[in-house]
Amino acid sequence: MSDAPRRIVVVGSGMATTRLVEELVARGVHTRDRITVLGDEPVAPYNRILLSAVLEGTHRPDALTLREPAWYAAHGIDLRLGARALGVDPERRDVMLVDGTIVEYDVLVLATGSIPTLPPIRGLVRMDGTLHESVHAFRSLDDCDRLRAALEETDDDGRPAHRRAVVVGGGLLGLQVARALGARGLDTEIVEGGDHLLHTQLDTAAGRILARDLRKLGVSVYTGARAVRLTDAAALAGAGAGATVGGDVRVLDPLPRNPGRVALRLDNGFTLDTDLVVLTAGGRPSTALARGAGLEVRRGIVVDDRLASVTDPAIHAIGDCAEHDGRTTGFVPPAWEQAGILAEVLAAGPGAGDATYDGTRIVARLRATGLDVAVLGDAAAEIEAGGEVVEVANPIAGSHRRLVVRDGRIVAATLVGDLSRVGLITQHFDRGTVLGEGEPGALLLPDRPAGAGSAARALPDDAEVCACAGVSAGRIRACSSVEQVRDTTRATTGCGGCASTVRELLDTTPVHA
């Protein structure tokens, strides 16, 4: 290995990149090599998962910042914001930016994430290629700021100009956005093409309980329906008071309170009149740079067990844009896991070390006020492979808990409404613990009513609390404040689902045998 410093260039400044840079710094790579991060957004790297919390008003925008530019500068890392990459030349080993700047590399990491795909809704895009003024994407901080500004608009009487919203997409992001809009006082509806919410993560029974929970929170749900056409409602409302539009369900106001109101037609004949349409459905890995560079791309950028492109070993990919063993991710925990593995690979140098990536574990948490969902593994695939289902459901209380067990081990889990045992279940899931006959059922029973901190007190020090950052209960207990937890472990900075457990752990001492 040459003693000359390598030029490590990372394209993308999202959550995967931030974790990669942190891991490189922890290994001292920044003292030996030159690290450059190219981010196309003009703001410091931030937590995209918590954008809905900013929309809801529970977090300030600046609270989402993962690392300030000063932190990069203090570690000698060249962070370039507003630097969009135009192309990659593998032969010359350089990246060209849209402003013509050339950035040379010895090692290139593509962490370009995913890009939204527009659903096939007629009228969504105007003739000039821009979105209809009532339509909002929700992928970036700029999108969030634009939607927040719309919510603050008032009419001539000083009342909120927008009273209704339709969220297109019933996935994790769609539920978070819908809950945030509902909390802001808007009459909110979700349109989901699948037969139930979170249809790729939950079964039908759990999806129905989740929909019921949402309705209790004031959010209406339309499943098994797709939006197909967007029309200015004023043109349709001329049919007169009491007239239906599109066949049956919703009656448009004869004179809309908001002249900008639109009508969203569904493929089942329903028509929803609304002030705002928020798009959260659809996304695909961002692979344009990789394709332009001649790298092998299927759904994502194809990488090997060292997260290097199978076409060019000098180029790596992590996060949403990477495809390993035929799978792409879409969640923070596997992206951060990949970042840690790649940091090991880069710290060891070419051909050295044995750090490899053997695939991703599925871990997903819903971060929304009043809604609790956790998903571990791929339940459908594990059941098909012979897994046995253990489940406890209470639709009246809004809870549904299911484990898939194979050879005595938890291979998948879905929890809706009661996450009091999620830490212990995650621990057994990760370790592949062989459980006794009665243990899976006992794990699904509600935590004993011994006070707010009882679930946290039961966690052993090596139990994982933060699935995003891989942080144990012991590491949390070693901290003195939530701020110290964030700075030293990065727990609570991912999906935020572990925040309540972290606070409980800081207020308790471990239970010793």
Side-chain angles (χ1 to χ4, degrees):
M1 177 178 170
S2 173
D3 291 334
R6 294 173 299 175
R7 298 164 297 183
I8 300 175
V9 175
V10 187
V11 179
S13 60
M15 298 178 72
T17 293
T18 302
R19 174 49 60 96
L20 172 63
V21 173
E22 289 174 340
E23 295 283 355
L24 291 174
V25 168
R27 292 165 174 77
V29 175
H30 66 299
T31 64
R32 183 185 70 203
D33 298 324
R34 290 156 44 193
I35 303 173
T36 300
V37 175
L38 306 174
D40 62 0
E41 292 188 66
V43 296
Y46 58 89
N47 186 333
R48 294 180 187 275
I49 295 178
L50 295 180
L51 285 173
S52 61
V54 173
L55 179 64
E56 185 175 341
T58 59
H59 285 57
R60 302 185 315 276
D62 57 5
L64 271 58
T65 301
L66 294 170
R67 291 292 184 183
E68 297 285 354
W71 181 87
Y72 289 84
H75 291 88
I77 298 166
D78 183 7
L79 172 65
R80 305 188 192 183
L81 302 176
R84 177 168 297 180
L86 179 63
V88 174
D89 188 332
E91 291 187 4
R92 298 170 60 93
R93 292 201 174 186
D94 63 33
V95 179
M96 175 179 284
L97 307 184
V98 292
D99 64 1
T101 301
I102 299 294
V103 182
E104 298 179 329
Y105 68 84
D106 298 303
V107 176
L108 178 65
V109 180
L110 298 177
T112 49
S114 62
I115 56 177
T117 55
L118 293 179
I121 302 174
R122 294 183 63 185
L124 199 67
V125 180
R126 295 188 182 279
M127 294 296 292
D128 62 0
T130 61
L131 286 178
H132 188 287
E133 61 183 8
S134 297
V135 177
H136 294 257
F138 198 85
R139 287 279 180 174
S140 67
L141 187 57
D142 184 62
D143 292 337
C144 183
D145 288 342
R146 180 171 172 260
L147 184 53
R148 289 170 65 214
L151 297 182
E152 293 169 2
E153 293 176 0
T154 58
D155 60 20
D156 293 340
D157 297 324
R159 298 177 301 181
H162 306 296
R163 299 179 178 88
R164 294 178 180 172
V166 174
V167 176
V168 178
L172 288 167
L173 179 60
L175 299 191
Q176 291 173 185
V177 171
R179 181 66 186 108
L181 291 170
R184 292 286 297 263
L186 278 76
D187 292 331
T188 306
E189 297 161 310
I190 296 175
V191 175
E192 164 57 42
D195 60 0
H196 61 273
L197 298 174
L198 295 182
H199 65 94
T200 60
Q201 287 90 28
L202 303 180
D203 66 359
T204 302
R208 286 175 178 168
I209 289 176
L210 184 57
R212 184 172 178 173
D213 289 345
L214 276 164
R215 292 186 181 103
K216 289 180 180 178
L217 296 170
V219 177
S220 301
V221 178
Y222 296 83
T223 56
R226 300 181 184 278
V228 294
R229 185 181 183 89
L230 182 73
T231 310
D232 290 337
L236 297 175
T244 60
V245 178
D248 40 355
V249 178
R250 180 70 75 73
V251 179
L252 293 178
D253 297 334
L255 292 174
R257 293 188 300 271
N258 177 8
R261 180 163 290 176
V262 293
L264 189 66
R265 174 74 179 269
L266 309 185
D267 62 0
N268 61 4
F270 286 46
T271 298
L272 309 179
D273 61 317
T274 185
D275 301 312
L276 300 170
V277 176
V278 185
L279 306 177
T280 65
R284 57 183 174 81
S286 178
T287 59
L289 285 176
R291 290 184 185 277
L295 304 183
E296 182 173 344
V297 175
R298 294 172 190 163
R299 175 168 173 78
I301 304 166
V302 181
V303 297
D304 60 20
D305 290 347
R306 291 170 67 83
L307 297 166
S309 164
V310 296
T311 307
D312 186 339
I315 302 178
H316 299 261
I318 60 173
D320 292 358
C321 68
E323 178 179 329
H324 175 269
D325 197 24
R327 297 178 64 185
T328 54
T329 62
F331 298 115
V332 170
W336 280 4
E337 182 184 0
Q338 291 173 358
I341 294 295
L342 182 54
E344 275 297 315
V345 170
L346 297 181
D354 57 2
T356 57
Y357 182 66
D358 58 5
T360 179
R361 60 172 192 155
I362 299 174
V363 180
R365 289 284 293 269
L366 172 63
R367 193 267 166 222
T369 303
L371 296 174
D372 292 307
V373 178
V375 178
L376 306 176
D378 186 338
E382 295 295 347
I383 292 172
E384 186 175 344
E388 297 179 293
V389 175
V390 182
E391 93 186 327
V392 174
N394 185 346
I396 296 174
S399 66
H400 184 282
R401 300 181 293 282
R402 182 175 69 163
L403 303 181
V404 181
V405 180
R406 185 152 45 88
D407 298 326
R409 296 176 172 85
I410 297 173
V411 292
T414 56
L415 309 172
V416 176
D418 183 354
L419 304 187
S420 62
R421 296 296 183 90
V422 69
L424 291 173
I425 291 171
T426 301
Q427 180 187 17
H428 293 314
F429 171 73
D430 285 339
R431 292 179 174 180
T433 307
V434 177
L435 303 176
E437 288 185 357
E439 288 185 276
L443 283 170
L444 295 182
L445 296 177
D447 187 54
R448 59 187 181 278
S454 58
R457 286 179 59 84
L459 291 176
D461 281 346
D462 57 357
E464 184 177 80
V465 172
C466 177
C468 295
V471 181
S472 67
R475 291 181 65 193
I476 301 297
R477 291 187 176 109
C479 297
S480 60
S481 66
V482 173
E483 290 72 22
Q484 186 180 7
V485 168
R486 290 172 182 160
D487 290 340
T488 61
T489 73
R490 308 306 291 160
T492 76
T493 64
C495 71
C498 65
S500 60
T501 304
V502 166
R503 286 192 291 270
E504 290 176 11
L505 286 170
L506 293 175
D507 291 337
T508 63
T509 55
V511 174
H512 299 288

